[in-house]
């Protein structure tokens, strides 16, 4: 059974549903993986629309998982479709969000720990809580199936209790979870963008040793390239954005407006390509 060791096939999976992310996200992810991994590897995309995907991407239908989606709770709960049976995809898989940037070699994500471990990133937004980040995680297919049963029994109740699917996985994964070594993953907003006032002066950087940069939340690679906090924000030069804090031409409070500025990030544009 493949676990990405000793020349075995390295299996990476992703999920694309709805219209938020177009096929270019999957194709660029595939290209970044190919530039940063020792073959053989394969990217499987579980999706409701495989149009426009690169021919080397293995397209699979979204796994069946019937539940009433939580209506009043945030979180990427559709990811729960991947916790159970994945058809012909078996063994150990590495899951990657569509909006990550690969900045280093990925081989170690397949050799770290035991093949049966469920391994997550650490969530920097909750430093006092050991909560995982599911932008980059590894699992043995089917090991998280019991979580589907718990979630399907009361989706809104589970969402109300845990708020985010990554907290639910962290606290309930059979056998517990482990975490990637510190420094392998970087959170773009937390680890790459300089703090105020340096965010107006310096471009975001890749911390030394980082292998994958994650983009949780609404700031995605196109926003980093343009130099805006999200797609609804204006891409403005530093002085213009700074001036807007005092003129009232802003969407947020004074302090948040000052903190929520990022200069156009050249390395994202260089790496996020097919």
């Amino acid at each position: 059974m493949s676990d990405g060791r000793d020349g075995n096939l390295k299996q990476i999976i992703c999920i694309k549903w709805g219209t938020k992310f177009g096929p270019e996200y999957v194709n660029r992810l595939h290209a970044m993986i190919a530039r940063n991994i020792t073959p053989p590897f394969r990217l499987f995309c579980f999706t409701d629309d495989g149009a426009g995907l690169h021919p080397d991407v293995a397209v699979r239908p979204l796994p069946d998982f019937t539940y009433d989606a939580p209506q009043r709770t945030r979180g990427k709960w559709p990811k729960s479709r991947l916790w159970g049976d994945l058809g012909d995809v078996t063994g150990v898989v590495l899951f990657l969000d569509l909006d990550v940037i690969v900045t280093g070699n990925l081989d170690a994500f397949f050799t770290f720990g035991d093949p049966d471990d469920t391994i997550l990133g650490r969530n920097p937004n909750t430093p006092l809580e050991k909560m995982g980040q599911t932008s980059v995680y590894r699992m043995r297919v089917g090991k998280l199936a019991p979580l589907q049963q718990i979630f399907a029994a009361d989706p809104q109740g589970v969402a109300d209790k845990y708020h985010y699917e990554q907290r639910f996985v962290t606290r309930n994964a059979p056998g517990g979870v482990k975490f990637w070594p510190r420094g392998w993953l970087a959170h773009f907003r937390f680890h790459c963008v300089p703090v105020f006032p340096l965010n107006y002066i310096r471009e975001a950087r890749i911390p030394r040793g980082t292998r994958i940069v994650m983009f949780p939340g609404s700031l995605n690679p196109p926003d980093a390239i343009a130099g805006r906090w999200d797609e609804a924000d204006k891409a403005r030069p530093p002085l213009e954005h700074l001036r807007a804090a005092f003129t009232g031409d802003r969407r947020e409070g004074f302090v948040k407006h000052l903190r929520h500025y990022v200069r156009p990030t050249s390395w994202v544009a260089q790496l996020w390509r097919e």
Side-chain angles (χ1 to χ4, degrees):
M1 188 173 293
S2 174
D3 66 4
R5 301 167 192 253
D6 301 323
N8 288 339
L9 178 71
K10 298 177 179 71
Q11 301 183 130
I12 302 99
I13 63 172
C14 65
I15 186 169
K16 182 176 83 71
W17 73 89
T19 59
K20 180 177 180 180
F21 296 118
E24 70 278 6
Y25 277 80
V26 181
N27 295 339
R28 290 171 181 174
L29 178 62
H30 181 270
M32 289 187 293
I33 293 169
R35 292 192 290 268
N36 291 280
I37 201 168
T38 302
F41 82 94
R42 198 166 195 197
L43 174 63
F44 296 87
C45 180
F46 293 88
T47 181
D48 53 4
D49 182 6
L53 297 187
H54 191 283
D56 288 341
V57 174
V59 180
R60 296 292 185 272
L62 289 175
D64 290 332
F65 179 40
T66 303
Y67 65 96
D68 295 322
Q71 298 298 312
R72 59 176 183 268
T73 311
R74 300 177 65 183
K76 302 297 189 296
W77 293 100
K79 284 184 177 180
S80 59
R81 289 176 175 272
L82 302 179
W83 297 342
D85 179 33
L86 297 183
D88 64 342
V89 182
T90 61
V92 175
V93 295
L94 177 69
F95 172 86
L96 297 179
D97 267 347
L98 293 181
D99 54 357
V100 302
I101 302 293
V102 180
T103 59
N105 188 272
L106 298 175
D107 292 351
F109 286 98
F110 294 91
T111 57
F112 178 76
D114 186 273
D116 283 323
D117 290 338
T118 300
I119 310 176
L120 285 65
R122 295 177 183 270
N123 193 322
N125 198 33
T126 55
L128 300 181
E129 175 189 2
K130 293 184 70 173
M131 185 169 80
Q133 162 60 248
T134 56
S135 290
V136 180
Y137 73 92
R138 200 185 77 203
M139 66 176 178
R140 183 174 290 282
V141 173
K143 188 172 182 179
L144 299 183
L147 301 189
Q148 283 187 328
Q149 300 171 17
I150 299 171
F151 180 52
D154 185 10
Q156 189 61 64
V158 169
D160 287 343
K161 179 178 180 179
Y162 295 98
H163 300 291
Y164 296 96
E165 87 291 336
Q166 53 200 20
R167 179 178 284 119
F168 178 57
V169 173
T170 303
R171 296 187 182 176
N172 295 279
V177 301
K178 294 184 179 179
F179 296 100
W180 300 117
R182 292 186 183 277
W184 282 17
L185 307 180
H187 187 302
F188 183 77
R189 288 183 286 116
F190 279 87
H191 300 136
C192 302
V193 178
V195 297
F196 175 81
L198 297 179
N199 56 327
Y200 286 85
I201 303 169
R202 298 178 184 171
E203 183 179 315
R205 66 182 184 89
I206 304 173
R208 181 176 299 178
T210 298
R211 298 169 185 258
I212 299 176
V213 176
M214 309 174 295
F215 287 76
S218 57
L219 198 169
N220 292 315
D223 305 310
I225 293 170
R228 64 192 182 202
W229 205 250
D230 57 49
E231 63 180 8
D233 195 13
K234 297 178 182 178
R236 298 186 270 202
L239 289 179
E240 183 178 333
H241 191 274
L242 191 60
R243 189 179 302 113
F246 299 93
T247 62
D249 182 19
R250 48 184 165 83
R251 300 177 303 149
E252 303 176 297
F254 181 80
V255 174
K256 277 192 174 181
H257 178 86
L258 293 177
R259 290 171 47 207
H260 291 179
Y261 181 73
V262 57
R263 295 178 68 96
T265 310
S266 59
W267 56 264
V268 175
Q270 294 166 3
L271 298 177
W272 195 59
R273 58 182 172 82
E274 294 186 35

